[in-house]
Amino acid sequence: MDAKDIISSGLLELYAAGLTSAEESLQVQQYVQLYPEVAAELAAIEAGVEAFATAMPVTPAPEVKEKIFARINETAKPVPITAGNDIAPVVTISSRWKSAAAAAILLLVGSAAVNIYLYNRNNNMQAQLQQVQNTVASLQEKNKEMDTYLEAVRNRYSTPVSLSGLSPEAADATAKVYWIKNTGDVYVDASSLPAAPAGKQYELWAIVDGKPVNAGIIVQTPSGKTYQIQKMKAFGNAQAFAISLEKESATPADTPTEVYALGKM
Amino acid sequence: MEQVRKYSEEELVLLLQQKDQAAFSYLYDNYAAALNGVIFRLTEDYSLAEDILQEAFVKIWNNFASYDKTKGRLFTWMLNLTKNLTIDTLRSKGYKKQAKISGDENIVSNVQDSTTGVDKFDTVGLRKQLSGLKPEQRTIIEMAYFAGYTQDEISKTLDIPLGTVKTRMRTAILELRKHLQYT
């Protein structure tokens, strides 16, 4: 329907009289917003009706106005309906309040969405923070290992001893011992040793005056670690170092059972 | 129309939304007689009409927030509120909607204008202008706008097809507007 059809249909005349259905009324209100010609036509119709009513006035008695003003100034009291008991009270909500309510609901929904978003983001951030903390912790550990390693290697009194596998199967197995001459501290770098067979563990021995003396259990850490250096027992004097395979135990063996690798000073 | 306008309709609406009593007084002075005329033609009882008028204005004051200017003119809103209140009151008092609408072209002059104070409107001029309306046009306008007849009731009372009510109303209003413009 274009503006002309709407105007000529007579719908606007019905609307002004309040004789349209709720649906039709909504439609007219939309047309009025849409077409200025329709709005102007409706205004002209209403002005005509107003003029018609104005032409037939019945002036009320002056007391009527006084009574009305007395009534509207009784603010505290509810307005009694005297004209008819069956008139349902009309509860109206102004469009301003309707839009305010709509805005409030929108705000609420929006704020809920933001809250959910922030909550999720916070969770994410916490997870990320945990990750970073883990990384830092592992880096710190690595750093500590590296410090130990560097201390052993760079120390000007450090004497490196290379240990090689004795049996043909262990030919590729190597380990390094750093003996710090002035302090007698012994460090072992077992990163090139293959993992000990199940139920077995490596132990380090210092050969002092031709006799092996246990220098401690070599703790094998999971592979992937760059620096597997471990401080062992200190020796003031040693001619050689050896690694043996022993039965898994919390206490070091007294004598080596199976010498795995050996290196002389 | 030579109304003495102190406020534009927009200003009036704005002030009434703010519960301005001076604006309400102006509203009453300008519209009470016209609305009372509408009520009187339905009730044919001066005292009852004034009671209903009182209720109508109290309702206008209290429910002014429900007036939405995008839906129509202020007078149309007041007219429909007053009309519905009058019909409800009559119904509760056991009145039946009757053809108090006479097709008589003298209906306008039949109603005695009991104006006591200054006549703010050139009602005489308006009447003259509207006297050119055909009786059946006057009747359908009265029924639809002032007596609360439904389309169906108009169709039955005037014995015209329901679909014709709309077009008859359009013709009548066009004629009314023509008289307002050119007389």
Side-chain angles (χ1 to χ4, degrees), chain A residues 6-47:
Chain A
I6 298 157
I7 288 169
S8 61
S9 70
L11 185 66
L12 301 178
E13 282 81 358
L14 281 180
Y15 173 81
L19 294 182
T20 42
S21 66
E23 204 181 323
E24 288 172 319
S25 298
L26 258 171
Q27 222 171 21
V28 170
Q29 281 153 27
Q30 279 173 349
Y31 292 147
V32 165
Q33 301 278 318
L34 218 61
Y35 307 108
E37 317 93 280
V38 174
E41 180 73 9
L42 180 62
I45 292 164
E46 291 182 82

Side-chain angles (χ1 to χ4, degrees), chain A residues 100-124:
Chain A
I105 289 165
L106 267 179
L107 267 176
L108 181 66
V109 169
S111 123
V114 169
N115 274 327
I116 291 166
Y117 168 73
L118 287 178
Y119 176 77
N120 285 337
R121 206 169 73 147
N122 187 32
N123 279 352
N124 268 341

Side-chain angles (χ1 to χ4, degrees), chain A residues 13 15 46 50 73 82, chain B residues 21 71 73 76 145 170:
Chain A
E13 282 81 358
Y15 173 81
E46 291 182 82
E50 184 175 336
N73 283 315
T82 52
Chain B
Q21 293 206 358
K71 290 180 181 171
R73 280 166 68 105
T76 309
Y145 291 93
R170 166 122 188 105

Side-chain angles (χ1 to χ4, degrees), chain B residues 95-117:
Chain B
Y95 286 80
K96 271 194 192 138
K97 203 186 286 178
Q98 296 168 9
K100 277 174 186 154
I101 321 297
S102 63
D104 182 2
E105 62 183 293
N106 293 322
I107 184 161
V108 169
S109 42
N110 280 350
V111 173
Q112 272 300 315
D113 182 2
S114 58
T115 302
T116 47

Side-chain angles (χ1 to χ4, degrees), chain B residues 46-57:
Chain B
Y46 284 109
S47 141
L48 179 60
E50 285 180 357
D51 283 350
I52 295 171
L53 183 72
Q54 200 190 120
E55 290 307 321
F57 268 92

